[in-house]
Amino acid sequence: MAGKKVLIVYAHQEPKSMNGSLKTIAVEELSKQGCSVTVSDLYEMEFEPRTTRKDIVGDLYNPEQFNYGVEAWEACKNGCLSEDLIEEQRKVKEADLVIFQFPLYWFSVPAIMKGWLDRVLVQGFAHDFPKCFESGLLKNKQALLSFTTGGDKEMYSKGGVTGDIRHSLWPMQHGILHFCGFSILAPQICYAPESVAEEERVQMLTSWVKRLRTLWEEKPIDCTPEWYYK
Ligand code: FAD
Ligand code: ZN
């Protein structure tokens, strides 16, 4: 939809990968709609995933004993977070929708993306208890996990060897994003792109573009235990 702002947080080392293609076609389709699209290409940026005292500029709140959560919270209030964090927070603040594009690593996001979540979604910026879930500081924004897997759809079905894929989304969708106030759009999952035929991969890309055309009409999922564990 024209005028909407989208941030794509993208974690893949290889532009020619399936994730690279999914990211590129999303940028093309959303731009075509008149959205303004920003990409945080985490490997390309050599994004720092570690939570260290370098994230705080100037004096520490408690130099005697370092507590990252407290220091980041204080630094956030005082405008003393490092430049790279302030820049990512600016992109999030502007965005109506944040798409996370990544290959599933150990039922989760790759470490570089986990580091982005750890470092960017600071207390005081994304949440500030009791300002969480429906009153999280990033309410009125939407988030969508778009990812690829190694395992196929059958493995990730109810009763499959890995269990229902929805179970592994609980920490990311509910524990992180919904906690910060985002409403969650249904995940976009490309199962086993390495193992399927070329036509199926093309089909996966086509269905992502097709979905993006009407994405703005979608209702968020009901991000409660029922969605994950029914
Ligand atoms: P790629 O190998 O880059 O892409 C697949 C194929 O698509 C390639 O041949 C590529 O050339 C082709 N392609 C790219 N663009 C196009 C296009 N436009 N049209 C047609 N074809 C195209 N998997 C799980 O299921 N669960 C896990 O817990 C898990 N943990 C992992 C942990 C680690 C540390 C690692 C390294 C992997 C793990 N995996 C896991 C597997 C991982 O999720 C998959 O390898 C990954 O999702 C595949 O996506 P990709 O983009 O890297 O694929
Ligand atoms: Zn939830």
Side-chain angles (χ1 to χ4, degrees):
M1 201 199 279
K4 292 279 190 189
K5 296 199 166 100
V6 183
L7 169 63
I8 302 180
V9 183
Y10 163 69
H12 203 289
Q13 309 86 343
E14 172 56 61
K16 291 186 205 135
S17 65
M18 193 63 179
N19 276 273
S21 293
L22 289 158
K23 181 262 294 171
T24 301
I25 56 165
V27 172
E28 284 169 5
E29 170 56 30
L30 292 165
S31 304
K32 212 190 307 171
Q33 292 174 22
C35 301
S36 91
V37 188
T38 304
V39 179
S40 284
D41 183 342
L42 301 182
Y43 288 105
E44 182 66 25
M45 293 157 71
E46 300 189 348
F47 187 80
E48 168 61 85
R50 294 170 296 182
T51 51
T52 70
R53 37 176 90 206
K54 286 187 196 154
D55 290 353
I56 289 94
V57 177
D59 295 337
L60 292 178
Y61 176 74
N62 180 0
E64 303 301 319
Q65 190 171 342
F66 187 73
N67 177 321
Y68 184 84
V70 171
E71 292 295 341
W73 185 23
E74 289 298 327
C76 184
K77 284 191 271 193
N78 302 319
C80 296
L81 285 170
S82 63
E83 201 47 54
D84 63 333
L85 294 192
I86 290 174
E87 177 60 10
E88 292 307 298
Q89 291 181 342
R90 185 191 59 74
K91 295 178 196 171
V92 173
K93 225 181 279 175
E94 283 187 358
D96 299 297
L97 165 69
V98 182
I99 297 174
F100 294 87
Q101 181 65 58
F102 60 96
L104 193 69
Y105 274 13
W106 294 123
F107 279 33
S108 185
V109 292
I112 199 165
M113 187 176 273
K114 178 59 165 47
W116 187 97
L117 295 162
D118 289 346
R119 294 179 66 233
V120 176
L121 302 179
V122 170
Q123 182 170 8
F125 169 72
H127 58 91
D128 210 349
F129 193 80
K131 290 179 187 142
C132 55
F133 293 110
E134 304 321 310
S135 49
L137 300 179
L138 302 179
K139 60 176 189 272
N140 304 323
K141 296 181 188 296
Q142 297 186 315
L144 189 161
L145 301 184
S146 173
F147 61 96
T148 58
T149 68
D152 62 23
K153 199 169 181 176
E154 201 181 312
M155 280 171 73
Y156 280 108
S157 62
K158 214 177 223 167
V161 282
T162 47
D164 192 326
I165 189 78
R166 292 183 175 208
H167 301 172
S168 34
L169 301 180
W170 171 254
M172 295 178 277
Q173 292 191 160
H174 181 76
I176 304 173
L177 298 168
H178 187 191
F179 183 81
C180 294
F182 282 104
S183 39
I184 312 296
L185 295 179
Q188 183 73 18
I189 310 172
C190 290
Y191 289 103
E194 294 152 295
S195 318
V196 300
E198 174 80 2
E199 307 86 77
E200 265 189 76
R201 285 196 290 270
V202 171
Q203 178 56 39
M204 288 173 186
L205 291 157
T206 311
S207 59
W208 180 218
V209 173
K210 213 168 147 203
R211 180 177 173 201
L212 287 168
R213 288 194 187 125
T214 53
L215 194 73
W216 304 106
E217 295 161 25
E218 287 186 21
K219 286 216 162 53
I221 63 160
D222 177 22
C223 186
T224 59
E226 289 68 42
W227 188 87
Y228 297 89
Y229 300 108
K230 70 176 173 253

